[in-house]
Amino acid sequence: MKNIPNVYDAEPIPAPAMQEIERILSSGDLFRYTSENSPVALLETEFAKTLGSTYALAVSSCSAALFLSLKSLGLPRDAKVLIPAFTFGAVPSAVVHADCVPVLCECQNNYRIDIDDFAAKLPQVQAVIVSHMRGHTSDMDAIMALCDEAQVPVVEDAAHSLGTVWDGRNIGTIGKIGCFSFQSYKLLNAGEGGIMITDDPDLIARAVIMSGAYEHNWKKHPVLSTAFDKWQNKLPLYNQRMNTLSAAIIRPQLTELPRRVADGRRNHDHVAERLHQSPWFDVPKKLAKEIRAPDSIQFNLAGLNDDEVSLFVNAAATAGINVQVFGTSKDNARAFWNWKFLGEPPELPQTKAMLMRACDVRLPARLSIEDCDVISEALITAMYRVMQPATAYGT
Ligand SMILES: *Cc1c(COP(=O)(O)O)cnc(C)c1O
């Protein structure tokens, strides 16, 4: 058997980060508000420019960005927030943290929001978080049309969608606010970190203050001071700032982004094409207006019963590939019924059925096409061993 590539290792951090970190460590300047041109402020300017938005605020995680987004929207206590039922547990958690109540809407077999269920539940809610889960973009035209009509603000959880484009627009710039993650498994890796972007000066002013720009530290943000004057001393300080070292690690990765996006897409599309040759793998197609930036692949197991699903997962594991079925892997944080902190799970049969067959395999941009072939072969062989053992023994 060929060597199975390691899909968990990260890429090295570009060399310029080392020099900058040495400079920071020798000056001890780790707090973003000590100096005017902190690496955190520079990252905000560069990130906003890269995405094409007016303002950015770097924080401690994407979860913090989601929390601050809801807080800066000024939602009252117990406001309902619509989120997709297929998302990461951090998303309903951010809603709870902001003293709001998540309402879960159904997702489809292609991992995207079910627009009919979304439209049906929209009248109950005061805000929406669209989670572009694993980089799968929901129909943003339909979502924005419905939300604009209902005057409900949209926050995009683009944690896993950096570099994705919808109809010529960067994901994260379509809703009122876009939130991104710099956690190690995302496209830009600082270990931990997050950032939010918006074109709304009043909203960013509130988020900046609540993120911990106490006293007049907001003066170190290049945003209209009139927006800040209005909110001085009127908002709580949640202290979710980014540390300068994190910004120094992220900044030199920004120029790597186009390459990572292109290579990740190449790897994904290559494996998708190989898997499609087997009748038991269904890799949902992208939507027409979407240009994707994947760093993993998701596919549904078609025509397998529960036993066959677990036999396939075991056969893949024996071959050295970790396949995670969202709904069957123990305590999976992306299965809504495991979010017990919300109380009794709602009835969402469509999303549940999808999660019981939907597989997740990491496919980082640094893998070569040969690596991707090894992974595809191993998955296809594992499937034959389960579904057509007579054929598999020859391979
Ligand atoms: C990773 C992720 C998050 C959380 O990001 P953190 O920076 O770890 O808080 C939220 N939503 C999605 C879709 C993610 O993939």
Side-chain angles (χ1 to χ4, degrees), residues 53-252:
S53 69
T54 318
Y55 309 111
L57 170 66
V59 289
S60 52
S61 68
C62 179
S63 301
L66 291 168
F67 162 79
L68 288 169
S69 297
L70 297 176
K71 280 291 173 191
S72 30
L73 287 170
L75 300 174
R77 184 175 284 271
D78 294 332
K80 289 186 174 158
V81 178
L82 192 53
I83 65 170
F86 177 41
T87 185
F88 183 50
V91 175
S93 305
V95 176
V96 170
H97 190 191
D99 291 323
C100 297
V101 180
V103 175
L104 276 49
C105 89
E106 288 269 33
C107 293
Q108 295 174 302
N109 228 9
N110 65 0
Y111 320 125
R112 291 158 176 91
I113 287 173
D114 182 314
I115 298 296
D116 290 340
D117 197 47
F118 182 91
K121 288 171 177 164
L122 190 59
Q124 304 173 33
V125 305
Q126 285 173 271
V128 163
I129 297 179
V130 175
S131 219
H132 303 293
M133 193 51 179
R134 288 289 191 270
H136 300 284
T137 315
S138 291
D139 182 344
M140 288 308 285
D141 292 0
I143 288 172
M144 292 313 296
L146 287 164
C147 291
D148 286 348
E149 165 85 38
Q151 297 192 319
V152 172
V154 174
V155 177
E156 286 183 81
D157 166 18
H160 227 141
S161 278
L162 182 58
T164 303
V165 175
W166 173 265
D167 200 16
R169 296 172 70 185
N170 285 319
I171 280 300
T173 64
I174 299 172
K176 202 166 181 59
I177 310 171
C179 300
F180 298 85
S181 174
F182 302 126
Q183 186 269 339
S184 284
Y185 289 164
K186 313 298 158 95
L187 220 49
L188 301 177
N189 165 25
E192 301 285 358
I195 198 162
M196 56 189 279
I197 55 173
T198 182
D199 291 331
D200 184 327
D202 208 47
L203 214 145
I204 200 75
R206 290 197 290 269
V208 163
I209 291 176
M210 287 189 281
S211 76
Y214 61 92
E215 295 165 355
H216 293 162
N217 278 314
W218 48 259
K219 288 183 178 153
K220 292 173 184 135
H221 286 264
V223 189
L224 306 165
S225 64
T226 46
F228 286 113
D229 281 341
K230 213 163 103 194
W231 295 105
Q232 184 74 49
N233 299 347
K234 297 206 178 105
L235 297 167
L237 305 163
Y238 295 107
N239 284 11
Q240 295 173 318
R241 294 172 299 253
M242 179 179 277
N243 164 325
T244 58
L245 284 178
S246 305
I249 290 169
I250 299 158
R251 288 182 62 219

Side-chain angles (χ1 to χ4, degrees), residues 287-319:
L287 300 189
K289 290 191 173 176
E290 193 183 15
I291 304 176
R292 302 198 54 216
D295 61 4
S296 62
I297 187 164
Q298 289 71 45
F299 50 87
N300 300 320
L301 301 176
L304 275 69
N305 64 30
D306 288 350
D307 287 343
E308 289 161 347
V309 168
S310 81
L311 286 171
F312 165 69
V313 170
N314 292 342
T318 305

Side-chain angles (χ1 to χ4, degrees), residues 350-371:
Q350 182 177 301
T351 307
K352 177 151 196 195
M354 176 272 281
L355 291 169
M356 297 306 282
R357 291 293 178 272
C359 300
D360 192 26
V361 174
R362 284 176 53 77
L363 222 48
R366 63 174 172 71
L367 297 187
S368 65
I369 286 292
E370 291 71 37
D371 292 334

